Amino acid sequence: QVQLVESGGGLVQAGGSLRLSCAASGRIFSSYVMGWFRQAPGKEREFVVAISRSGGTTNYADAEKGRFTCSRDYTKNTLYLQMNNLKPEDTAVYYCAASTKVFSTTHADYNYWGQGTQVTVSS
């Protein structure tokens, strides 16, 4: 098992930046594929990025390519999402997730979830 705690969300103007953090505890961090998902009001949870157990492979959703960067720090057991050039359509609750299964862009393949952190981008 693993416990995930997100932080770093907040209110930012369009074009600004935020860095989200996901602190993992419990089972060894490198045992999990990690990912970020987001959910806006009235919409289904959608994929943002996945990162492999080794950190060597990342897969970004098309809307985030070139703007978001995901990384994992094994010394701190922390997953990061650096978000630049934010847009109002990025407004959502962002969830950190961990999977023991497969490298996946599908939320159903993730076993563990954080509580989410709100990101609001104003225009």
Side-chain angles (χ1 to χ4, degrees):
Q1 63 179 14
V2 63
Q3 294 78 46
L4 306 173
V5 180
E6 301 104 330
S7 62
L11 175 65
V12 65
Q13 293 183 336
S17 299
L18 286 172
R19 188 179 75 163
L20 306 184
S21 298
C22 174
S25 62
R27 192 174 178 181
I28 187 167
F29 187 44
S30 60
S31 296
Y32 299 92
V33 172
M34 302 292 294
W36 290 96
F37 293 78
R38 67 187 184 185
Q39 188 164 18
K43 299 181 67 177
E44 295 184 345
R45 192 171 301 178
E46 68 174 347
F47 167 75
V48 177
V49 61
I51 186 166
S52 64
R53 290 174 173 87
S54 69
T57 302
T58 53
N59 187 0
Y60 296 90
D62 289 343
E64 287 73 49
K65 290 179 180 177
R67 299 191 300 121
F68 290 8
T69 302
C70 182
S71 61
R72 55 196 301 172
D73 187 335
Y74 295 94
T75 66
K76 297 181 179 180
N77 295 330
T78 300
L79 181 74
Y80 298 100
L81 183 66
Q82 179 67 46
M83 305 186 294
N84 298 323
N85 192 25
L86 284 161
K87 303 175 180 179
E89 51 263 44
D90 295 318
T91 296
V93 177
Y94 283 70
Y95 297 92
C96 175
S99 176
T100 61
K101 299 176 181 179
V102 295
F103 185 85
S104 176
T105 63
T106 302
H107 65 82
D109 288 326
Y110 287 78
N111 307 84
Y112 305 99
W113 295 85
Q115 294 300 305
T117 184
Q118 177 70 48
V119 172
T120 302
V121 184
S122 65
S123 60

